[in-house]
Amino acid sequence: MEIQCVKVGDSRYPKKLLNISEKPKELYYLGNLPREDVPSVAMIGARGCSAYGKRFAGKIAKELSDAGVQIISGMARGIDTRCQEGALEGKSPTFAVLGCGVDLCYPEENQGLYEKILERGGGILSEYPPGDKPLAWHFPQRNRIISGLSELVVVIEARVKSGSLITVEWALEQGKDIMALPGRVDDPLSEGCNRLIKSGAGIVMEPGDILEALHWEWNEKSELRMNGSGQAALILEALGSEMKNLEELMEQTKLNYKEVMSALFQLQKNGFVEQPMEGYFLQK
């Protein structure tokens, strides 16, 4: 698989990163970049985590993934790893932002996870050129990309002095919402999360809390948009919220007349598209 590079000004450069301070001038990646038309959530937490943290990390990530949400994390040991494993158990791709070149798997024991992320349509991203080693100062810097690519940041477990809270600081600077999983008040691994909640962060009791904060409702049309690589998904994307005629749809999708008509028939049959007047189509 070939390493790609996008720079600021490139049409493929993630739009969410254009709005943050200290945006990376270059972004290297293997696989894919996160999609812009579906939500992304950063899920982060302690490397030395508890069974409680692992259980909820996997459960929440899987259910969000099944609901069409892209999980962004750092593929670090502990919570990050379990979040991305959980996301892979769901339907949507997950994306790892590394503190080294994308050609290096760090930590090394996550080689299997690294490969599965790519196999499942996700991506490995970094601002550091191929071959760059995982230096300690890289990781706090890469955290701004994890939060920057996401609509909101979810902290699963964190001590008071934690790398996860550096990501929270970046996220707050970027104007992102923070949510946290509560834990026992006498558990040092939950102290960071409990303090975030006390300071006004949203409480995560179940995945639905995050979906509600995103204002994201998953349905058959969403699934067609997310997973449909075929012609019907292209037509839905081209229609957006506007009424368009056949010629406009053919021009936007690069499909021929027969392909457009076949896809429109399928969409009308399933109740996704209507035809208010002859030759014009509108998404319901």
Side-chain angles (χ1 to χ4, degrees), residues 13-29:
Y13 189 89
K15 292 182 177 59
K16 292 187 183 78
L17 293 183
L18 292 174
N19 299 320
I20 70 170
S21 63
E22 298 187 41
K23 64 180 72 64
K25 294 179 181 178
E26 297 178 332
L27 197 62
Y28 299 89
Y29 67 97

Side-chain angles (χ1 to χ4, degrees), residues 21-43:
S21 63
E22 298 187 41
K23 64 180 72 64
K25 294 179 181 178
E26 297 178 332
L27 197 62
Y28 299 89
Y29 67 97
L30 279 169
N32 296 298
L33 293 169
R35 288 179 55 163
E36 304 279 359
D37 58 342
V38 292
S40 297
V41 167
M43 290 189 67

